[in-house]
Amino acid sequence: MPTLDRQDDVFILDIGDGENRFHPDWLTAVGEALDEVEKADGARAMVTAATGKFFSNGLDLEWLSGHADQYQEYVLGVHELLARTLSLPVVTVAALQGHTFAAGAMFSLAHDFRVMRADRGFWCLPEADINIPFTPGMSALIQARLTPQTAHEAMTTARRFGGHDALAAGVVDRAVEEDAVRPTAVELARSLTSKAGDTLGTIKSRMYAPA
């Protein structure tokens, strides 16, 4: 389950060491962590990180298949997570040490910045291959955070972007060695802790109002 730690002015949200799929309990735990970050006072920023092979594989399709009657409520919860992260009143950095797929990739896009491992791991929106169309909200998020060309390719071809390709396409902001992913993300976040506050939240909310 996700855990929240604090290193000086930088909160570290560790979302897990498995596939880190969006199980309802996982969504609740992340929401509670965001509550803590948002309610804290003073200069601060947040890094979202994971350990192991995956950053996140997105929706918990196995849980969803057994709880089809809760589909609408579940999708609403995912949308709330993405929207809240997108407009959080602190600078957020996603540290992508492993595979970042589907809603996990969308979650990374909801952060202000992304640092990705350069040599292994993929960032991918596989929906075209697994026959799950993007919701209007998900489409809006992706198109708000990527260039039209990159969004089109990622959404229609399910291309798997390695670290260097993701950097060249503007999907991520840094591509570094494995052991530098989290430290680079923390360093970037620490340099922007003074931006935290209502003004930043308003700027982001208005910037991404359509999404």
Side-chain angles (χ1 to χ4, degrees):
M1 290 297 291
T3 59
L4 186 68
D5 189 21
R6 185 168 185 171
Q7 299 178 8
D8 299 320
D9 291 336
V10 178
F11 286 92
I12 310 293
L13 173 59
D14 192 315
I15 59 174
D17 59 1
E19 291 191 19
N20 306 324
R21 290 183 179 269
F22 294 9
H23 185 278
D25 292 341
W26 185 96
L27 290 171
T28 297
V30 172
E32 290 172 349
L34 296 184
D35 286 341
E36 186 172 339
V37 173
E38 191 165 0
K39 292 175 181 177
D41 295 322
R44 62 203 187 281
M46 186 184 79
V47 169
T48 302
T51 53
K53 184 178 179 180
F54 301 92
F55 175 78
S56 174
N57 254 347
L59 302 185
D60 192 334
L61 299 178
E62 182 177 348
W63 180 90
L64 197 56
S65 68
H67 300 81
D69 59 319
Q70 299 180 48
Y71 173 80
Q72 292 295 340
E73 180 182 355
Y74 176 75
V75 172
L76 178 61
V78 172
H79 284 178
E80 288 176 344
L81 170 65
L82 298 177
R84 186 175 185 191
T85 305
L86 187 64
S87 58
L88 204 68
V90 303
V91 168
T92 57
V93 184
L96 312 179
Q97 92 299 339
H99 296 310
T100 306
F101 275 54
M106 298 174 215
F107 183 45
S108 77
L109 288 180
H111 290 69
D112 296 308
F113 303 99
R114 284 153 299 288
V115 178
M116 185 175 178
R117 180 175 172 178
D119 62 327
R120 293 187 68 182
F122 293 105
W123 187 99
C124 177
L125 297 172
E127 280 72 7
D129 285 343
I130 60 177
N131 296 316
I132 299 178
F134 299 97
T135 67
M138 291 173 176
S139 295
L141 168 65
I142 297 164
Q143 291 174 277
R145 297 296 283 131
L146 298 176
T147 66
Q149 294 87 346
T150 298
H152 183 89
E153 181 178 18
M155 295 173 76
T156 62
T157 72
R159 175 181 172 182
R160 296 186 176 197
F161 291 84
H164 293 298
D165 289 340
L167 179 62
V171 174
V172 301
D173 303 279
R174 307 276 195 283
V176 299
E177 295 301 314
E178 177 185 9
D179 59 0
V181 173
R182 191 177 297 207
T184 300
V186 171
E187 180 183 1
L188 177 56
R190 183 170 289 125
S191 72
L192 295 166
T193 57
S194 65
K195 311 303 180 188
D198 292 340
T199 297
L200 178 63
T202 300
I203 288 171
K204 293 202 285 186
S205 295
R206 290 177 177 172
M207 182 182 298
Y208 297 110

Coordinates of all heavy atoms in Angstrom, one line a residue, residues 124-180:
C124 N 3.6 3.8 -21.6 CA 2.8 3.4 -22.7 C 1.3 3.6 -22.4 O 0.9 3.4 -21.2 CB 3.0 1.9 -23.0 SG 2.0 1.1 -24.3
L125 N 0.5 4.0 -23.4 CA -0.9 4.0 -23.3 C -1.4 2.9 -24.2 O -1.6 3.1 -25.4 CB -1.5 5.3 -23.8 CG -1.0 6.6 -23.0 CD1 -1.5 7.9 -23.7 CD2 -1.6 6.5 -21.6
P126 N -1.7 1.7 -23.7 CA -2.0 0.5 -24.5 C -3.5 0.3 -24.8 O -3.8 -0.7 -25.4 CB -1.5 -0.7 -23.6 CG -1.8 -0.2 -22.2 CD -1.6 1.3 -22.3
E127 N -4.3 1.3 -24.6 CA -5.7 1.1 -24.7 C -6.2 0.7 -26.1 O -7.1 -0.1 -26.2 CB -6.4 2.4 -24.4 CG -6.6 2.7 -22.9 CD -5.3 3.0 -22.1 OE1 -4.3 3.2 -22.8 OE2 -5.4 3.1 -20.9
A128 N -5.5 1.1 -27.2 CA -5.9 0.7 -28.5 C -5.6 -0.8 -28.7 O -6.3 -1.5 -29.5 CB -5.1 1.5 -29.6
D129 N -4.7 -1.4 -28.0 CA -4.4 -2.8 -28.1 C -5.3 -3.7 -27.2 O -5.5 -4.8 -27.5 CB -2.9 -3.1 -27.7 CG -2.0 -2.6 -28.8 OD1 -2.4 -2.5 -30.0 OD2 -0.7 -2.5 -28.5
I130 N -5.7 -3.1 -26.1 CA -6.5 -3.9 -25.2 C -8.0 -3.6 -25.3 O -8.8 -4.0 -24.4 CB -6.0 -3.7 -23.7 CG1 -6.1 -2.3 -23.3 CG2 -4.6 -4.2 -23.6 CD1 -5.7 -2.0 -21.8
N131 N -8.4 -2.8 -26.3 CA -9.8 -2.5 -26.6 C -10.5 -1.9 -25.4 O -11.7 -2.2 -25.1 CB -10.5 -3.8 -27.0 CG -9.9 -4.4 -28.3 OD1 -9.7 -3.6 -29.2 ND2 -9.7 -5.7 -28.3
I132 N -9.9 -0.9 -24.8 CA -10.5 -0.1 -23.8 C -10.4 1.4 -24.2 O -9.3 2.0 -24.1 CB -9.9 -0.3 -22.4 CG1 -10.0 -1.8 -22.0 CG2 -10.5 0.6 -21.3 CD1 -9.4 -2.1 -20.6
P133 N -11.5 2.0 -24.7 CA -11.3 3.4 -25.1 C -11.1 4.3 -23.9 O -11.5 4.1 -22.8 CB -12.7 3.7 -25.8 CG -13.6 2.7 -25.1 CD -12.8 1.5 -24.8
F134 N -10.4 5.4 -24.2 CA -10.2 6.5 -23.2 C -11.5 7.1 -22.9 O -12.3 7.4 -23.8 CB -9.2 7.5 -23.7 CG -7.8 7.0 -24.1 CD1 -7.5 6.6 -25.4 CD2 -6.9 6.8 -23.1 CE1 -6.3 6.1 -25.7 CE2 -5.6 6.3 -23.4 CZ -5.3 5.9 -24.7
T135 N -11.7 7.4 -21.6 CA -12.9 8.3 -21.3 C -12.6 9.7 -21.8 O -11.5 10.1 -22.0 CB -13.1 8.3 -19.7 OG1 -12.0 9.0 -19.1 CG2 -13.2 6.9 -19.1
P136 N -13.6 10.5 -21.9 CA -13.4 11.9 -22.3 C -12.5 12.6 -21.4 O -11.6 13.4 -21.9 CB -14.8 12.5 -22.3 CG -15.7 11.3 -22.6 CD -15.1 10.2 -21.9
G137 N -12.6 12.4 -20.1 CA -11.7 13.0 -19.2 C -10.2 12.6 -19.3 O -9.3 13.4 -19.3
M138 N -10.0 11.3 -19.5 CA -8.6 10.8 -19.8 C -8.1 11.4 -21.1 O -6.9 11.8 -21.1 CB -8.7 9.3 -19.8 CG -9.0 8.7 -18.4 SD -9.2 6.9 -18.6 CE -9.4 6.4 -16.9
S139 N -8.9 11.4 -22.1 CA -8.4 12.0 -23.4 C -8.0 13.5 -23.2 O -7.0 13.9 -23.7 CB -9.5 11.9 -24.4 OG -9.8 10.6 -24.8
A140 N -8.8 14.2 -22.4 CA -8.5 15.6 -22.2 C -7.2 15.8 -21.5 O -6.4 16.7 -21.8 CB -9.7 16.3 -21.5
L141 N -7.0 15.0 -20.4 CA -5.8 15.0 -19.7 C -4.6 14.8 -20.6 O -3.6 15.6 -20.6 CB -5.8 14.0 -18.5 CG -4.5 13.8 -17.8 CD1 -4.0 15.0 -17.1 CD2 -4.6 12.6 -16.9
I142 N -4.6 13.7 -21.3 CA -3.5 13.3 -22.2 C -3.2 14.4 -23.2 O -2.0 14.9 -23.4 CB -3.7 12.0 -22.9 CG1 -3.9 10.9 -21.9 CG2 -2.6 11.7 -23.9 CD1 -4.5 9.6 -22.4
Q143 N -4.2 15.0 -23.8 CA -4.1 16.0 -24.9 C -3.6 17.3 -24.3 O -3.0 18.1 -25.0 CB -5.3 16.1 -25.7 CG -5.6 14.9 -26.5 CD -6.9 14.9 -27.2 OE1 -8.0 14.6 -26.7 NE2 -6.9 15.4 -28.5
A144 N -3.9 17.5 -23.0 CA -3.5 18.8 -22.3 C -2.1 18.8 -22.0 O -1.4 19.8 -21.8 CB -4.4 19.0 -21.1
R145 N -1.5 17.6 -21.8 CA -0.1 17.5 -21.3 C 0.9 17.0 -22.3 O 2.1 17.1 -22.0 CB -0.1 16.4 -20.1 CG -0.9 16.9 -18.9 CD -0.4 18.1 -18.2 NE 0.8 17.8 -17.5 CZ 2.0 18.5 -17.5 NH1 2.1 19.5 -18.4 NH2 3.0 18.1 -16.8
L146 N 0.5 16.6 -23.5 CA 1.4 16.2 -24.5 C 1.1 17.0 -25.8 O 0.0 17.6 -26.0 CB 1.2 14.7 -24.9 CG 1.5 13.7 -23.7 CD1 1.2 12.3 -24.2 CD2 2.9 13.8 -23.3
T147 N 2.1 17.1 -26.7 CA 1.9 17.8 -27.9 C 0.9 17.0 -28.7 O 0.7 15.8 -28.5 CB 3.2 17.9 -28.7 OG1 3.6 16.6 -29.1 CG2 4.3 18.5 -27.9
P148 N 0.2 17.7 -29.7 CA -0.8 16.9 -30.5 C -0.2 15.7 -31.2 O -0.8 14.7 -31.2 CB -1.3 18.0 -31.5 CG -1.1 19.3 -30.8 CD 0.2 19.1 -30.0
Q149 N 1.0 15.9 -31.7 CA 1.6 14.7 -32.4 C 1.9 13.6 -31.5 O 1.6 12.4 -31.8 CB 2.9 15.2 -33.1 CG 2.7 16.2 -34.2 CD 2.7 17.6 -33.7 OE1 2.6 17.9 -32.5 NE2 2.8 18.6 -34.6
T150 N 2.5 13.9 -30.4 CA 2.8 12.8 -29.4 C 1.5 12.2 -28.8 O 1.5 10.9 -28.7 CB 3.7 13.3 -28.3 OG1 4.9 13.8 -28.8 CG2 4.0 12.3 -27.3
A151 N 0.6 13.0 -28.5 CA -0.7 12.4 -28.0 C -1.4 11.5 -29.0 O -1.8 10.4 -28.6 CB -1.6 13.6 -27.6
H152 N -1.4 11.9 -30.2 CA -2.0 11.1 -31.3 C -1.3 9.8 -31.4 O -2.0 8.7 -31.5 CB -2.0 11.9 -32.6 CG -2.7 11.2 -33.7 ND1 -4.0 11.3 -34.0 CD2 -2.2 10.2 -34.6 CE1 -4.4 10.5 -35.0 NE2 -3.3 9.8 -35.4
E153 N 0.0 9.8 -31.5 CA 0.7 8.6 -31.7 C 0.6 7.7 -30.5 O 0.3 6.5 -30.6 CB 2.2 8.9 -31.9 CG 3.1 7.6 -32.1 CD 4.5 7.9 -32.4 OE1 5.0 9.0 -32.1 OE2 5.2 6.9 -32.9
A154 N 0.7 8.2 -29.3 CA 0.6 7.4 -28.1 C -0.8 6.8 -27.9 O -0.9 5.6 -27.5 CB 0.9 8.3 -26.8
M155 N -1.8 7.6 -28.2 CA -3.2 7.1 -28.0 C -3.7 6.1 -29.1 O -4.5 5.2 -28.8 CB -4.1 8.3 -27.9 CG -3.9 9.2 -26.7 SD -4.9 10.7 -26.7 CE -6.5 10.1 -26.2
T156 N -3.2 6.3 -30.3 CA -3.7 5.5 -31.4 C -2.9 4.3 -31.8 O -3.4 3.4 -32.5 CB -3.9 6.4 -32.7 OG1 -2.7 6.9 -33.1 CG2 -4.9 7.5 -32.4
T157 N -1.6 4.3 -31.4 CA -0.7 3.2 -31.8 C -0.2 2.4 -30.6 O 0.4 1.4 -30.8 CB 0.5 3.7 -32.5 OG1 1.4 4.4 -31.6 CG2 0.2 4.7 -33.7
A158 N -0.5 2.9 -29.4 CA 0.0 2.2 -28.2 C 1.5 2.0 -28.2 O 2.0 1.0 -27.6 CB -0.7 0.8 -28.0
R159 N 2.2 3.0 -28.7 CA 3.6 2.9 -28.8 C 4.2 2.9 -27.4 O 3.8 3.5 -26.5 CB 4.2 4.2 -29.5 CG 5.7 4.2 -29.5 CD 6.3 5.5 -30.1 NE 7.7 5.6 -29.9 CZ 8.4 6.6 -30.4 NH1 7.9 7.6 -31.1 NH2 9.7 6.7 -30.2
R160 N 5.2 2.0 -27.2 CA 6.0 1.9 -26.0 C 7.2 2.9 -26.1 O 8.1 2.6 -26.9 CB 6.4 0.5 -25.7 CG 5.3 -0.4 -25.5 CD 5.7 -1.8 -25.1 NE 4.6 -2.7 -24.8 CZ 4.7 -3.8 -24.1 NH1 5.9 -4.2 -23.6 NH2 3.7 -4.6 -23.9
F161 N 7.2 3.9 -25.2 CA 8.3 4.8 -25.2 C 9.3 4.4 -24.2 O 9.0 4.3 -23.0 CB 7.8 6.2 -24.9 CG 6.9 6.9 -25.9 CD1 5.6 6.6 -26.0 CD2 7.5 7.8 -26.8 CE1 4.8 7.2 -26.9 CE2 6.7 8.4 -27.8 CZ 5.3 8.1 -27.9
G162 N 10.6 4.2 -24.6 CA 11.7 4.0 -23.7 C 12.1 5.4 -23.2 O 11.6 6.4 -23.6
G163 N 13.0 5.4 -22.2 CA 13.4 6.7 -21.6 C 13.8 7.8 -22.5 O 13.4 8.9 -22.5
H164 N 14.8 7.4 -23.4 CA 15.3 8.4 -24.3 C 14.2 8.9 -25.3 O 14.1 10.1 -25.6 CB 16.5 7.9 -25.1 CG 17.7 7.6 -24.2 ND1 18.3 8.6 -23.5 CD2 18.3 6.5 -23.9 CE1 19.3 8.1 -22.8 NE2 19.4 6.8 -23.0
D165 N 13.4 8.0 -25.8 CA 12.3 8.3 -26.7 C 11.3 9.2 -26.0 O 10.8 10.1 -26.6 CB 11.7 7.1 -27.3 CG 12.6 6.3 -28.3 OD1 13.5 6.9 -28.8 OD2 12.3 5.1 -28.5
A166 N 11.0 8.9 -24.8 CA 10.0 9.6 -24.0 C 10.5 11.1 -23.8 O 9.7 12.0 -23.9 CB 9.7 9.0 -22.7
L167 N 11.8 11.2 -23.6 CA 12.4 12.5 -23.4 C 12.3 13.3 -24.7 O 11.9 14.5 -24.7 CB 13.8 12.4 -22.9 CG 14.6 13.7 -22.7 CD1 13.9 14.6 -21.6 CD2 16.0 13.5 -22.4
A168 N 12.7 12.7 -25.8 CA 12.6 13.4 -27.1 C 11.2 13.8 -27.5 O 11.0 14.8 -28.1 CB 13.2 12.4 -28.2
A169 N 10.2 13.0 -27.1 CA 8.8 13.3 -27.4 C 8.2 14.2 -26.4 O 7.0 14.6 -26.6 CB 8.0 12.0 -27.5
G170 N 8.9 14.6 -25.4 CA 8.3 15.5 -24.4 C 7.4 14.8 -23.4 O 6.6 15.5 -22.7
V171 N 7.4 13.5 -23.4 CA 6.6 12.8 -22.4 C 7.1 12.9 -21.0 O 6.4 13.0 -20.0 CB 6.5 11.3 -22.8 CG1 5.8 10.5 -21.7 CG2 5.8 11.1 -24.1
V172 N 8.5 12.9 -20.9 CA 9.1 13.1 -19.6 C 10.1 14.3 -19.7 O 10.4 14.8 -20.9 CB 9.9 11.9 -19.2 CG1 8.9 10.7 -19.1 CG2 11.0 11.5 -20.1
D173 N 10.6 14.8 -18.6 CA 11.4 15.9 -18.5 C 12.9 15.6 -18.3 O 13.8 16.4 -18.6 CB 10.9 16.9 -17.4 CG 9.5 17.3 -17.6 OD1 9.2 18.2 -18.4 OD2 8.6 16.6 -17.0
R174 N 13.2 14.4 -17.8 CA 14.5 13.9 -17.6 C 14.5 12.5 -17.8 O 13.6 11.7 -17.5 CB 15.0 14.2 -16.1 CG 14.8 15.6 -15.6 CD 16.0 16.5 -16.0 NE 16.0 17.7 -15.1 CZ 15.2 18.7 -15.3 NH1 14.3 18.7 -16.3 NH2 15.3 19.8 -14.5
A175 N 15.7 12.0 -18.4 CA 15.9 10.5 -18.6 C 17.3 10.3 -18.0 O 18.3 10.8 -18.5 CB 15.8 10.1 -20.0
V176 N 17.3 9.5 -16.9 CA 18.6 9.3 -16.2 C 18.8 7.8 -15.8 O 18.0 7.0 -16.1 CB 18.5 10.1 -14.8 CG1 18.4 11.6 -15.1 CG2 17.4 9.7 -13.9
E177 N 20.0 7.6 -15.3 CA 20.3 6.2 -14.9 C 19.4 5.7 -13.7 O 18.8 6.5 -13.0 CB 21.8 6.1 -14.4 CG 22.8 6.4 -15.6 CD 22.6 5.4 -16.7 OE1 22.5 4.2 -16.5 OE2 22.6 5.9 -17.9
E178 N 19.3 4.4 -13.6 CA 18.3 3.9 -12.6 C 18.5 4.4 -11.2 O 17.5 4.8 -10.6 CB 18.5 2.3 -12.6 CG 17.6 1.6 -11.5 CD 17.9 0.2 -11.4 OE1 18.9 -0.3 -12.0 OE2 17.1 -0.5 -10.7
D179 N 19.7 4.5 -10.7 CA 19.9 4.9 -9.4 C 19.8 6.4 -9.2 O 19.9 6.9 -8.0 CB 21.3 4.4 -8.8 CG 22.5 5.0 -9.7 OD1 22.2 5.7 -10.6 OD2 23.6 4.6 -9.3
A180 N 19.6 7.1 -10.3 CA 19.5 8.6 -10.2 C 18.0 9.1 -10.3 O 17.8 10.2 -10.2 CB 20.3 9.3 -11.3

